[in-house]
Amino acid sequence: MRVLGIETSGTIGSVALWEGRVVAEESFQRGLVHGKALVPTLARLLEQAGWPKSSLGLVAVSQGPGSYTGVRVGVATAKALAYALGCPIVGVPTLEAMARNPSPSDLPVAPVVDARWEQVYTALYEPGGRRVSGPRAVRPEDLAKELPERVYLFGDGLKRYRALFERPGVAFGGEDEWTCHARVVAELGARAFAEGRRDDPLSLVPLYLRPTEAEVKAGIA
């Protein structure tokens, strides 16, 4: 099955084509330019691979959390494409895709993504990938108190908050593990689809985990 993977939740976006393996992947430049870069990159990658849009069997999209604007752009584009093609769509939690970044180890892993407003997005996963808790937005001070004794942390939230987590038993990943990748989104989407998951292209929504800034300012959250 030919799968299109879309990731726009972070500062580096990407698109991938997957068919039992990674066929192609291309990243956008830094700077949250996803609204301008996504569709041209998607079209170019399909053309280079010789895949007509009609040959797609599944669209998998990183559903969030992350940049509100970035996630909204990715999900909206994926929904429009899936609806137009009559193609199945699956939303993949961004933190779940990120949890596949670290090299295999015997430690549980927890992405720590800067959510602004003095919070981080996080979830805890067993070494085999099963989610133990989350996803959620939480104060880093509170997260530090709740983490298991031994754990592997990674993500851009460590730029600001690493000192809160430093203690024996905590290992930290490098910056090369901080980015969510469309190829992983595509693979996880294909796996979920094979297990019987389907999302409605009309009702699939971003996973924000908390009210948007606009909702807070408007007093509706």
Side-chain angles (χ1 to χ4, degrees):
M1 180 176 62
R2 290 182 170 179
V3 182
L4 169 67
I6 296 174
E7 152 52 26
T8 56
S9 68
T11 56
I12 301 177
S14 56
V15 174
L17 305 180
W18 191 90
E19 191 175 20
R21 61 178 179 81
V22 180
V23 174
E25 183 176 33
E26 184 173 335
S27 298
F28 319 147
Q29 66 186 50
R30 290 179 180 269
L32 292 173
V33 297
H34 306 335
K36 295 180 180 179
L38 176 55
V39 173
T41 302
L42 187 159
R44 181 169 57 253
L45 215 60
L46 288 171
E47 182 178 2
Q48 291 173 352
W51 286 17
K53 291 180 182 178
S54 59
S55 72
L56 291 174
L58 177 69
V59 177
V61 60
S62 178
Q63 195 176 355
S67 158
Y68 288 157
T69 301
V71 172
R72 186 169 61 248
V73 166
V75 171
T77 301
K79 289 172 62 172
L81 182 60
Y83 182 76
L85 296 175
C87 176
I89 184 171
V90 171
V92 175
T94 301
L95 298 178
E96 182 177 344
M98 289 185 66
R100 268 58 177 182
N101 287 351
S103 300
S105 73
D106 62 345
L107 295 177
V109 302
V112 180
V113 178
D114 192 349
R116 302 174 67 182
W117 300 2
E118 304 301 320
Q119 292 183 319
V120 294
Y121 297 126
T122 190
L124 182 65
Y125 297 86
E126 291 181 343
R130 187 181 74 86
R131 180 168 55 83
V132 177
S133 64
R136 59 185 177 139
V138 62
R139 285 168 47 87
E141 296 88 348
D142 295 334
L143 176 61
K145 297 175 184 177
E146 300 168 7
L147 287 171
E149 183 176 346
R150 299 177 67 246
V151 66
Y152 187 98
L153 304 181
F154 62 101
D156 63 5
L158 298 179
K159 286 184 179 180
R160 296 183 61 188
Y161 303 117
R162 176 169 173 152
L164 293 173
F165 305 111
E166 289 182 330
R167 59 172 172 79
V170 177
F172 297 96
E175 292 191 25
D176 58 321
E177 297 176 345
W178 292 4
T179 301
C180 185
H181 300 285
R183 62 180 181 271
V184 181
V185 173
E187 182 176 356
L188 291 179
R191 184 182 305 172
F193 182 80
E195 293 172 352
R197 243 199 72 197
R198 311 284 190 276
D199 286 318
D200 185 339
L202 296 179
S203 61
L204 179 66
V205 295
L207 181 63
Y208 288 140
L209 296 186
R210 67 180 187 195
T212 65
E213 186 173 358
E215 289 172 332
V216 171
K217 289 181 177 179
I220 59 176

